[in-house]
Amino acid sequence: MNVDVESLGAVSRTAREGGERAARNLTGMTGIETTVEVSKVTLASADDLASDARRVGVATDFEGGMDGASLLTVSPEGVETLSEILLPGDGVEEDAVSEVGNVVTSGFIDEWADHLGTTIDHSPPRYVEGTGEQLLDAAGFDRDRAFVFRTEVGAVGESLDVEFHLLPDRDSLREMLGDGEIPVEKLTTLKQMARTGAETTSESVSAMTGIDTRVDISDLSFVPVEDVPGELSDREYVGVVLEFDGLPGGYIVILFDEASAREVVVALVPGADSVEEFDETARSAVEELGNVMTSSFVDGWANVLDATIDISTPRFVHDMGSAVAESVVARLGRTQANAVLFDATLRADDREFDCEIYALPDETELRAMLDELEPGETAERTTKSGSL
Amino acid sequence: MAKNVLIVDDSEFMRNLLREILEEEFEISGEAENGVEAVELYQEHRPDLVMMDIVMPIRDGIEATSDIKEENPDSNIIMCTSIGQEEKMKAAIKAGADGYITKPFQKPSVMDAIEDVVSA
C-alpha cells in the first residue's frame, strides 16, 4: 500500500471535524463544555496503543462507505463524572458509558459518512473494559491496519477525558488515500528510526542529568500544518527550538514542563540547589541539553543515509506549548500544507518528569529521504571517544 | 602529557563543565565561543591541546580545526561534540582532527580521549 502526505493530511482534517462533531454531541448530552485536545492520523502500532492503564468504553463495528471498527474509551474518573451527570445512582456506570459511547461514536462516523458522500452503518456499541491491549482485542484490532485515527476530547473544569480510535481496514484506507508514492513499509521504518532516536535521546538525558528517563509515547502522525500547535498542550514549557538541515531538514522542538526544566538545571549546573529564574546559566544548560538531545535524535538518520544533517544552535524558549509551535509552523507553512509529525514523551519512573520532543521534517526533503531509505533499516549513532 | 588546553564551545554551560573536568590536570589557556575566536586564541597562546566543539556560530569547529592545522600540523585537536554522525567524523578527520569525544560525557572518557591523542 502506497500513500502520500497530502492525502493523509486531508483525512486528518476530516478526523478533526469528526472529533469536533463528537465533542458537540458530548456537550449536548452532558452539558459539559468539551474541546478536541488531540486529533491525528497515526501510523498504527499495537504496542503504542496498548497502554497498561485500565479504561472502559464501547467498541463498534462499521461498514458501508468505510469498513472497520472503532473504540471509544473513558478513564475510571471520567466514568464517575458521566454517571453523576447522566444517571445518578449506583451500578449505572455501564449504561452511562454505553449511552455516551453510542452518541459520541455516531458523531465521528457521521462526519466520515458526510465527507465520503455516502452512508456508514454501525453496529450497536459493545461495552468493553480492560487495559489497552484488551480493549484493542475487543475492538477487533487485527494488528494489520496501517493507520489509526486518534482523537482525544477533554472537558473544561470536569474530570472527563474521552479517547476515540477509528480503525479502518486496509481496503477502506486504500480507497480513502488513493495510491501515493510512499510505501507504508518505509513509513514504518521511519517510525522505528525515530523511535530509536528518541531512545538514544532518553539515554543522553539520563547520562547528563542522572535522571533515569524512558520513552513513554512515540507517534508518527500526519496533520495539516495549521493543526500542529493544537497538538501541543497549552501548559507553560521551557525548552529549545532547533533547525536541522540536510536530508531531511526541518525543526525539532524540545519542551520540558517547568518543574522538570528546573530539575534538569539543578542536575546540570554545579552548585545550583534551586532555580528561581531561568537566568543565562540556566538557559545555557537547557540549550546544551537540547543540543545533545537533538544530535542524539537525528544522528542515526544521517548514518543510515551516509549523509550529514547539520543542526543549528539552539534557541531557548519559555512559553505556552502552542505558542512555541506557532513560531515553527509559521516558517514550515510557507512551503507545505501538511506536516509529518514525530512526537515522543520522556518520563521517569521515580518522579514527576515530562519532556516532549517534536520533530517536524520538511515534507519534500522527507520524501527524498524515504526514496533513499530501505525498509527495515535501523538508525544507530556513533557514541564513543578515541583518536581519529 | 599536554599542559595547556584551549576550550572552544559556544555553550557557556559546556565551557564551564569542561573547565571543571580539566582544570585539576591542566592549565586552561583560554576559552573561545566560536571558530574565529578559537583560531585567534590558538595563535596567541599556542596551547598543547584544543577541545573543539563542531556546531558554533560565525565559524564552525571543523573550519577552525582546518585553519589551526594549516598553521601548525603538530597541534592536538579533539572534537568535543554532540554530533555522532559518521560523515561528520570523516569531515573532522579530513580537517585534521586528532581525536573525538561525543557528548554527553563523563570525566573518565574525556581523560581517555586526551590520553589516546597525546600518546598517539
Side-chain angles (χ1 to χ4, degrees):
Chain A
M1 179 177 172
N2 288 4
V3 296
D4 64 63
V5 175
E6 266 180 39
S7 303
L8 287 164
V11 293
S12 179
R13 263 191 200 92
T14 305
R16 172 164 280 280
E17 284 160 11
E20 283 163 0
R21 190 150 159 176
R24 285 197 296 275
N25 284 3
L26 183 59
T27 297
M29 198 171 179
T30 62
I32 300 172
E33 189 185 342
T34 57
T35 55
V36 177
E37 292 178 341
V38 174
S39 176
K40 55 187 175 185
V41 181
T42 66
L43 198 58
S45 161
D47 290 343
D48 296 342
L49 299 171
S51 148
D52 287 338
R54 290 186 70 81
R55 296 176 71 86
V56 299
V58 294
T60 309
D61 299 320
F62 53 86
E63 61 180 11
M66 179 167 60
D67 296 347
S70 71
L71 180 65
L72 180 144
T73 63
V74 183
S75 66
E77 297 77 24
V79 173
E80 277 180 33
T81 303
L82 289 176
S83 301
E84 282 167 17
I85 292 170
L86 296 175
L87 301 161
D90 288 336
V92 295
E93 289 84 1
E94 187 172 328
D95 289 340
V97 170
S98 297
E99 275 303 308
V100 168
N102 193 23
V103 171
V104 176
T105 298
S106 293
F108 283 102
I109 303 286
D110 291 350
E111 187 66 37
W112 278 99
D114 290 351
H115 171 76
L116 297 169
T118 182
T119 57
I120 300 175
D121 298 320
H122 61 86
S123 67
R126 301 185 302 280
Y127 179 81
V128 292
E129 60 178 275
T131 62
E133 188 145 4
Q134 291 164 335
L135 292 169
L136 287 167
D137 283 340
F141 185 76
D142 61 9
R143 271 74 174 162
D144 191 34
R145 300 220 159 104
F147 294 96
V148 169
F149 300 80
R150 193 176 103 217
T151 305
E152 292 175 22
V153 176
V156 178
E158 294 280 354
S159 180
L160 176 61
D161 62 310
V162 176
E163 282 185 18
F164 183 78
H165 290 97
L166 188 73
L167 313 163
D169 68 20
R170 284 181 85 90
D171 288 340
S172 291
L173 275 171
R174 199 172 286 122
E175 275 179 38
M176 259 191 281
L177 297 173
D179 194 21
E181 294 171 358
I182 306 171
V184 169
E185 293 72 23
K186 287 199 175 189
L187 289 176
T188 304
T189 301
L190 178 70
K191 179 175 180 173
Q192 188 50 48
M193 284 169 61
R195 170 87 194 189
T196 304
E199 283 166 356
T200 310
T201 301
S202 171
E203 287 165 16
S204 294
V205 173
S206 300
M208 281 184 83
T209 64
I211 300 167
D212 195 11
T213 63
R214 62 184 163 76
V215 180
D216 186 43
I217 300 166
S218 68
D219 258 343
L220 184 66
S221 54
F222 306 86
V223 289
V225 165
E226 68 269 19
D227 284 354
V228 171
E231 300 296 324
L232 278 71
S233 142
D234 258 345
R235 287 157 61 197
E236 188 105 346
Y237 285 101
V238 172
V240 291
V241 176
L242 295 102
E243 199 168 340
F244 54 98
D245 185 23
L247 197 65
Y251 297 90
I252 286 203
V253 179
I254 296 173
L255 300 174
F256 297 89
D257 74 292
E258 281 203 11
S260 302
R262 290 178 204 283
E263 195 169 349
V264 297
V265 171
V266 167
L268 289 168
V269 178
D273 297 325
S274 64
V275 177
E276 299 303 320
E277 295 293 324
F278 287 93
D279 59 14
E280 202 161 317
T281 302
R283 287 171 177 233
S284 179
V286 171
E287 285 172 351
E288 188 55 29
L289 180 61
N291 188 30
V292 173
M293 290 172 72
T294 302
S295 290
S296 302
F297 189 78
V298 303
D299 283 352
W301 300 16
N303 289 343
V304 163
L305 299 167
D306 292 328
T308 57
I309 298 176
D310 292 318
I311 299 163
S312 72
T313 49
R315 176 168 63 88
F316 179 85
V317 291
H318 187 176
D319 209 335
M320 312 282 266
S322 52
V324 174
E326 291 280 5
S327 67
V328 172
V329 161
R331 282 179 277 177
L332 202 65
R334 288 181 203 144
T335 53
Q336 61 191 71
N338 297 292
V340 179
L341 175 68
F342 177 81
D343 65 276
T345 303
L346 306 188
R347 294 201 197 286
D349 286 326
D350 61 345
R351 64 189 92 193
E352 289 289 318
F353 185 85
D354 179 20
C355 171
E356 313 278 340
I357 304 168
Y358 298 90
L360 282 154
D362 175 278
E363 186 202 325
T364 308
E365 289 165 359
L366 181 69
R367 240 191 326 246
M369 173 193 173
L370 289 169
D371 281 344
E372 303 279 318
L373 193 66
E374 294 297 328
E377 283 193 291
T378 54
E380 283 182 17
R381 178 176 187 248
T382 305
T383 49
K384 47 191 176 187
S385 63
S387 54
L388 290 170
Chain B
M1 193 69 171
K3 290 175 187 164
N4 303 306
V5 181
L6 171 63
I7 296 171
V8 186
D9 201 306
D10 61 320
S11 162
E12 179 199 357
F13 166 76
M14 193 49 68
R15 293 196 305 275
N16 291 345
L17 184 69
L18 272 172
R19 193 192 323 121
E20 282 227 345
I21 289 174
L22 297 171
E23 65 189 357
E24 271 184 34
E25 317 274 343
F26 305 97
E27 186 182 319
I28 309 301
S29 60
E31 295 181 17
E33 294 182 26
N34 59 60
V36 171
E37 280 185 19
V39 175
E40 286 170 0
L41 285 177
Y42 181 82
Q43 289 167 337
E44 190 179 332
H45 298 292
R46 289 278 168 166
D48 301 311
L49 179 68
V50 181
M51 303 296 285
M52 180 80 80
D53 186 20
I54 290 184
V55 179
M56 292 184 290
I58 304 176
R59 192 157 181 80
D60 71 29
I62 291 177
E63 292 168 323
T65 297
S66 185
D67 291 347
I68 292 171
K69 281 287 178 179
E70 196 173 317
E71 188 171 318
N72 179 10
D74 295 330
S75 56
N76 289 314
I77 304 178
I78 295 177
M79 309 311 289
C80 189
T81 175
S82 60
I83 295 176
Q85 299 174 27
E86 283 152 18
E87 292 299 313
K88 278 281 180 193
M89 292 298 176
K90 287 178 192 168
I93 294 170
K94 206 171 164 190
D98 301 283
Y100 70 98
I101 178 164
T102 49
K103 303 170 189 172
F105 48 68
Q106 302 293 329
K107 183 172 180 176
S109 53
V110 175
M111 301 312 287
D112 287 349
I114 294 173
E115 178 66 31
D116 282 350
V117 166
V118 172
S119 61

